[in-house]
Short mmCIF file of all heavy atoms in Angstrom, two decimals:
data_model
loop_
_atom_site.label_atom_id
_atom_site.label_comp_id
_atom_site.label_asym_id
_atom_site.label_seq_id
_atom_site.Cartn_x
_atom_site.Cartn_y
_atom_site.Cartn_z
N GLY A 316 3.17 -7.93 -6.64
CA GLY A 316 3.43 -8.11 -8.02
C GLY A 316 4.70 -7.47 -8.44
O GLY A 316 5.32 -7.88 -9.49
N GLN A 317 5.10 -6.48 -7.70
CA GLN A 317 6.31 -5.74 -8.12
C GLN A 317 7.62 -6.46 -7.75
O GLN A 317 8.75 -6.32 -8.34
CB GLN A 317 6.46 -4.34 -7.40
CG GLN A 317 5.35 -3.43 -7.86
CD GLN A 317 5.61 -2.83 -9.24
OE1 GLN A 317 6.68 -3.06 -9.85
NE2 GLN A 317 4.64 -2.08 -9.77
N GLU A 318 7.53 -7.50 -6.85
CA GLU A 318 8.74 -8.23 -6.50
C GLU A 318 9.31 -9.06 -7.65
O GLU A 318 10.56 -9.27 -7.64
CB GLU A 318 8.40 -9.17 -5.20
CG GLU A 318 7.33 -10.21 -5.56
CD GLU A 318 5.94 -9.80 -5.19
OE1 GLU A 318 5.68 -8.54 -5.36
OE2 GLU A 318 5.22 -10.68 -4.90
N VAL A 319 8.44 -9.42 -8.57
CA VAL A 319 8.91 -10.15 -9.73
C VAL A 319 9.92 -9.36 -10.50
O VAL A 319 10.99 -9.85 -10.96
CB VAL A 319 7.75 -10.59 -10.62
CG1 VAL A 319 8.26 -11.18 -11.93
CG2 VAL A 319 6.77 -11.42 -9.88
N ASP A 320 9.63 -8.07 -10.67
CA ASP A 320 10.56 -7.17 -11.45
C ASP A 320 11.69 -6.57 -10.64
O ASP A 320 12.80 -6.49 -11.17
CB ASP A 320 9.78 -6.00 -12.04
CG ASP A 320 8.70 -6.46 -13.03
OD1 ASP A 320 9.01 -7.42 -13.78
OD2 ASP A 320 7.61 -5.91 -13.13
N TRP A 321 11.39 -6.29 -9.32
CA TRP A 321 12.41 -5.53 -8.59
C TRP A 321 13.21 -6.22 -7.63
O TRP A 321 14.30 -5.79 -7.27
CB TRP A 321 11.63 -4.39 -7.85
CG TRP A 321 11.16 -3.38 -8.75
CD1 TRP A 321 9.79 -3.21 -9.21
CD2 TRP A 321 11.82 -2.40 -9.50
NE1 TRP A 321 9.72 -2.16 -10.11
CE2 TRP A 321 10.93 -1.63 -10.35
CE3 TRP A 321 13.20 -1.97 -9.53
CZ2 TRP A 321 11.33 -0.59 -11.09
CZ3 TRP A 321 13.57 -0.85 -10.37
CH2 TRP A 321 12.70 -0.23 -11.09
N LEU A 322 12.87 -7.45 -7.14
CA LEU A 322 13.57 -8.18 -6.11
C LEU A 322 14.97 -8.52 -6.63
O LEU A 322 15.97 -8.33 -5.91
CB LEU A 322 12.89 -9.39 -5.66
CG LEU A 322 13.58 -10.27 -4.62
CD1 LEU A 322 13.93 -9.48 -3.36
CD2 LEU A 322 12.70 -11.49 -4.22
N PRO A 323 15.11 -9.08 -7.87
CA PRO A 323 16.48 -9.36 -8.41
C PRO A 323 17.32 -8.22 -8.44
O PRO A 323 18.56 -8.28 -8.10
CB PRO A 323 16.26 -9.96 -9.79
CG PRO A 323 14.75 -10.43 -9.72
CD PRO A 323 14.04 -9.48 -8.85
N ARG A 324 16.86 -7.04 -8.92
CA ARG A 324 17.61 -5.83 -8.93
C ARG A 324 18.03 -5.34 -7.54
O ARG A 324 19.12 -4.89 -7.32
CB ARG A 324 16.87 -4.72 -9.71
CG ARG A 324 16.70 -5.00 -11.19
CD ARG A 324 15.72 -3.90 -11.79
NE ARG A 324 15.62 -4.13 -13.27
CZ ARG A 324 16.43 -3.51 -14.15
NH1 ARG A 324 17.36 -2.64 -13.67
NH2 ARG A 324 16.24 -3.69 -15.44
N ALA A 325 17.04 -5.39 -6.63
CA ALA A 325 17.31 -4.89 -5.27
C ALA A 325 18.36 -5.77 -4.60
O ALA A 325 19.34 -5.14 -3.93
CB ALA A 325 16.04 -4.92 -4.47
N THR A 326 18.24 -7.04 -4.77
CA THR A 326 19.30 -7.90 -4.05
C THR A 326 20.65 -7.78 -4.70
O THR A 326 21.70 -7.83 -4.02
CB THR A 326 18.89 -9.38 -4.10
OG1 THR A 326 18.59 -9.76 -5.38
CG2 THR A 326 17.61 -9.61 -3.23
N SER A 327 20.65 -7.42 -6.03
CA SER A 327 21.96 -7.28 -6.65
C SER A 327 22.76 -6.02 -6.08
O SER A 327 24.02 -6.01 -6.18
CB SER A 327 21.80 -7.13 -8.10
OG SER A 327 21.25 -5.85 -8.58
N LEU A 328 22.03 -5.07 -5.57
CA LEU A 328 22.65 -3.95 -4.91
C LEU A 328 23.46 -4.34 -3.70
O LEU A 328 24.37 -3.54 -3.20
CB LEU A 328 21.68 -2.79 -4.64
CG LEU A 328 20.85 -2.26 -5.84
CD1 LEU A 328 20.19 -0.93 -5.34
CD2 LEU A 328 21.69 -1.94 -7.05
N LEU A 329 23.07 -5.40 -3.13
CA LEU A 329 23.67 -5.84 -1.84
C LEU A 329 24.62 -7.07 -2.09
O LEU A 329 24.91 -7.90 -1.17
CB LEU A 329 22.54 -6.20 -0.79
CG LEU A 329 21.63 -5.10 -0.46
CD1 LEU A 329 20.44 -5.66 0.34
CD2 LEU A 329 22.31 -4.01 0.37
N ARG A 330 25.09 -7.22 -3.32
CA ARG A 330 25.86 -8.38 -3.61
C ARG A 330 27.10 -8.58 -2.71
O ARG A 330 27.48 -9.74 -2.43
CB ARG A 330 26.28 -8.37 -5.10
CG ARG A 330 26.88 -7.09 -5.58
CD ARG A 330 27.19 -7.03 -7.00
NE ARG A 330 27.66 -5.76 -7.56
CZ ARG A 330 26.91 -4.71 -7.82
NH1 ARG A 330 25.53 -4.81 -7.79
NH2 ARG A 330 27.39 -3.61 -8.28
N ASP A 331 27.68 -7.47 -2.24
CA ASP A 331 28.91 -7.58 -1.43
C ASP A 331 28.56 -7.97 -0.03
O ASP A 331 29.40 -8.42 0.74
CB ASP A 331 29.62 -6.26 -1.42
CG ASP A 331 30.25 -5.93 -2.85
OD1 ASP A 331 30.32 -6.85 -3.64
OD2 ASP A 331 30.44 -4.78 -3.06
N GLU A 332 27.28 -7.83 0.42
CA GLU A 332 26.91 -7.99 1.82
C GLU A 332 26.11 -9.35 1.94
O GLU A 332 25.76 -9.81 3.06
CB GLU A 332 26.00 -6.89 2.26
CG GLU A 332 26.79 -5.66 2.57
CD GLU A 332 26.90 -4.77 1.31
OE1 GLU A 332 26.18 -5.10 0.31
OE2 GLU A 332 27.67 -3.77 1.32
N LEU A 333 25.71 -9.96 0.81
CA LEU A 333 24.72 -11.09 0.95
C LEU A 333 25.19 -12.31 1.78
O LEU A 333 24.39 -12.90 2.44
CB LEU A 333 24.56 -11.66 -0.52
CG LEU A 333 23.53 -10.77 -1.43
CD1 LEU A 333 23.36 -11.30 -2.79
CD2 LEU A 333 22.22 -10.56 -0.75
N ALA A 334 26.55 -12.53 1.85
CA ALA A 334 27.02 -13.65 2.67
C ALA A 334 26.87 -13.39 4.17
O ALA A 334 26.84 -14.34 4.98
CB ALA A 334 28.42 -13.94 2.33
N ASN A 335 26.76 -12.05 4.54
CA ASN A 335 26.73 -11.79 5.92
C ASN A 335 25.43 -11.24 6.50
O ASN A 335 25.35 -10.85 7.66
CB ASN A 335 27.84 -10.73 6.20
CG ASN A 335 29.25 -11.26 5.81
OD1 ASN A 335 29.56 -12.43 6.20
ND2 ASN A 335 29.90 -10.48 5.10
N ILE A 336 24.38 -11.18 5.62
CA ILE A 336 23.07 -10.61 6.11
C ILE A 336 21.97 -11.53 5.78
O ILE A 336 22.13 -12.49 4.94
CB ILE A 336 22.79 -9.24 5.37
CG1 ILE A 336 22.61 -9.46 3.91
CG2 ILE A 336 23.96 -8.31 5.70
CD1 ILE A 336 22.23 -8.11 3.19
N GLU A 337 20.84 -11.35 6.37
CA GLU A 337 19.61 -12.00 6.13
C GLU A 337 18.63 -11.12 5.45
O GLU A 337 18.38 -10.07 6.06
CB GLU A 337 19.05 -12.68 7.40
CG GLU A 337 17.76 -13.34 7.17
CD GLU A 337 17.08 -13.82 8.46
OE1 GLU A 337 17.79 -13.84 9.52
OE2 GLU A 337 15.85 -14.07 8.44
N ILE A 338 18.20 -11.41 4.23
CA ILE A 338 17.21 -10.64 3.57
C ILE A 338 15.80 -11.17 3.85
O ILE A 338 15.50 -12.35 3.64
CB ILE A 338 17.49 -10.48 2.14
CG1 ILE A 338 18.69 -9.71 1.87
CG2 ILE A 338 16.28 -9.77 1.38
CD1 ILE A 338 19.15 -9.57 0.39
N ARG A 339 14.89 -10.30 4.32
CA ARG A 339 13.48 -10.77 4.49
C ARG A 339 12.63 -9.92 3.57
O ARG A 339 12.76 -8.71 3.34
CB ARG A 339 13.04 -10.49 5.91
CG ARG A 339 13.73 -11.28 6.94
CD ARG A 339 13.30 -11.05 8.38
NE ARG A 339 14.06 -11.84 9.34
CZ ARG A 339 13.98 -11.63 10.62
NH1 ARG A 339 13.21 -10.66 11.13
NH2 ARG A 339 14.62 -12.38 11.49
N VAL A 340 11.68 -10.66 2.91
CA VAL A 340 10.96 -10.04 1.79
C VAL A 340 9.38 -10.20 2.20
O VAL A 340 8.98 -11.33 2.54
CB VAL A 340 11.22 -10.71 0.35
CG1 VAL A 340 10.32 -10.15 -0.66
CG2 VAL A 340 12.67 -10.52 0.07
N SER A 341 8.62 -9.22 1.97
CA SER A 341 7.22 -9.28 2.14
C SER A 341 6.57 -8.40 0.98
O SER A 341 7.14 -7.63 0.34
CB SER A 341 6.77 -8.77 3.46
OG SER A 341 7.13 -7.36 3.64
N SER A 342 5.25 -8.62 0.77
CA SER A 342 4.42 -7.86 -0.17
C SER A 342 3.18 -7.38 0.40
O SER A 342 2.57 -8.07 1.27
CB SER A 342 4.35 -8.60 -1.45
OG SER A 342 3.45 -9.79 -1.19
N ASP A 343 2.70 -6.29 0.00
CA ASP A 343 1.40 -5.76 0.54
C ASP A 343 1.09 -4.50 -0.35
O ASP A 343 1.71 -4.16 -1.38
CB ASP A 343 1.56 -5.29 1.95
CG ASP A 343 0.28 -5.47 2.74
OD1 ASP A 343 -0.76 -5.21 2.22
OD2 ASP A 343 0.31 -5.89 3.91
N HIS A 344 0.03 -3.83 0.01
CA HIS A 344 -0.35 -2.62 -0.77
C HIS A 344 0.35 -1.44 -0.14
O HIS A 344 1.01 -1.52 0.83
CB HIS A 344 -1.87 -2.39 -0.72
CG HIS A 344 -2.51 -2.31 0.72
ND1 HIS A 344 -2.30 -1.16 1.51
CD2 HIS A 344 -3.19 -3.15 1.43
CE1 HIS A 344 -3.01 -1.32 2.63
NE2 HIS A 344 -3.49 -2.57 2.70
N SER A 345 0.44 -0.32 -0.86
CA SER A 345 1.30 0.74 -0.65
C SER A 345 1.19 1.34 0.74
O SER A 345 2.10 1.64 1.44
CB SER A 345 1.15 1.82 -1.73
OG SER A 345 2.17 2.83 -1.65
N ALA A 346 -0.10 1.57 1.20
CA ALA A 346 -0.32 2.17 2.55
C ALA A 346 0.21 1.27 3.64
O ALA A 346 0.81 1.84 4.61
CB ALA A 346 -1.84 2.43 2.71
N ALA A 347 0.05 0.04 3.49
CA ALA A 347 0.58 -0.90 4.55
C ALA A 347 2.10 -0.84 4.55
O ALA A 347 2.79 -0.90 5.65
CB ALA A 347 0.06 -2.32 4.27
N LEU A 348 2.67 -0.87 3.38
CA LEU A 348 4.24 -0.86 3.33
C LEU A 348 4.74 0.43 3.97
O LEU A 348 5.72 0.44 4.74
CB LEU A 348 4.66 -0.90 1.85
CG LEU A 348 4.35 -2.23 1.16
CD1 LEU A 348 4.80 -2.08 -0.33
CD2 LEU A 348 5.14 -3.35 1.80
N ALA A 349 4.12 1.63 3.69
CA ALA A 349 4.45 2.85 4.34
C ALA A 349 4.42 2.82 5.78
O ALA A 349 5.24 3.23 6.55
CB ALA A 349 3.61 4.05 3.76
#
Side-chain angles (χ1 to χ4, degrees):
Q317 294 288 352
E318 61 270 32
V319 175
D320 295 325
W321 291 103
L322 179 56
R324 290 174 176 268
T326 53
S327 73
L328 302 193
L329 300 171
R330 52 189 174 272
D331 295 339
E332 289 85 10
L333 287 178
N335 301 312
I336 65 174
E337 176 186 343
I338 293 179
R339 293 179 184 170
V340 178
S341 62
S342 64
D343 212 321
H344 56 77
S345 191
L348 294 174

